[in-house]
């Protein structure tokens, strides 16, 4: 007696074909409406002042995203180490731990 190749499922659990109508062929419902964020165009300003437009869910249509760190300034891409002292954190650290390592005689 021959057994069906997939006895426990109505259809095989393989990747679905990509393209127009692929979901319809396999009886899969389209995406739900009114639950996805608004996907719109924004302007991104890099650290050197250059700009480009991209699509994002951030903010609203036409908003601007100004980057503090990007591939043009981050040490992982540039190989140049730079100390950025935001709010005097380095000065606070140095003041707090200034006496460590010195012997009191």
């Amino acid at each position: 007696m021959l057994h069906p190749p997939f006895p426990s499922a109505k259809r095989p659990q393989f990747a679905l074909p990509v393209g127009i109508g692929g979901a319809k062929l396999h009886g899969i419902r389209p995406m739900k409406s009114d639950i996805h964020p608004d996907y719109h165009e924004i302007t991104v300003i890099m650290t050197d002042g250059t700009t480009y437009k991209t699509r994002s869910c951030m903010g609203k249509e036409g908003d601007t995203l100004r980057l503090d760190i990007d591939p043009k300034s981050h040490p992982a891409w540039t190989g140049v180490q730079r100390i950025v002292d935001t709010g005097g954190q380095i000065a606070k650290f140095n003041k707090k731990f200034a006496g460590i390592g010195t012997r009191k005689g």
Side-chain angles (χ1 to χ4, degrees):
M1 179 170 134
L2 293 174
H3 296 286
F6 303 102
S8 63
K10 292 183 181 178
R11 64 174 183 248
Q13 299 299 313
F14 299 119
L16 297 175
V18 176
I20 298 173
K24 289 180 184 176
L25 292 173
H26 293 281
I28 297 172
R29 289 179 282 157
M31 292 192 314
K32 293 180 181 179
S33 61
D34 301 329
I35 65 166
H36 300 285
D38 180 36
Y39 190 59
H40 49 268
E41 191 171 272
I42 64 167
T43 302
V44 177
I45 301 175
M46 306 284 273
T47 55
D48 66 350
T50 58
T51 64
Y52 67 93
K53 292 194 179 286
T54 188
R55 293 181 57 79
S56 173
C57 296
M58 185 212 86
K60 58 186 181 296
E61 179 79 27
D63 277 357
T64 301
L65 173 64
R66 184 176 299 273
L67 299 179
D68 294 331
I69 296 176
D70 64 13
K72 295 178 182 179
S73 65
H74 194 279
W77 286 280
T78 63
V80 177
Q81 293 294 327
R82 190 173 71 177
I83 297 175
V84 178
D85 187 8
T86 53
Q89 293 177 357
I90 295 173
K92 281 191 256 181
F93 177 86
N94 288 337
K95 182 179 176 184
K96 184 175 181 178
F97 297 105
I100 291 183
T102 58
R103 294 185 176 204
K104 295 179 182 175

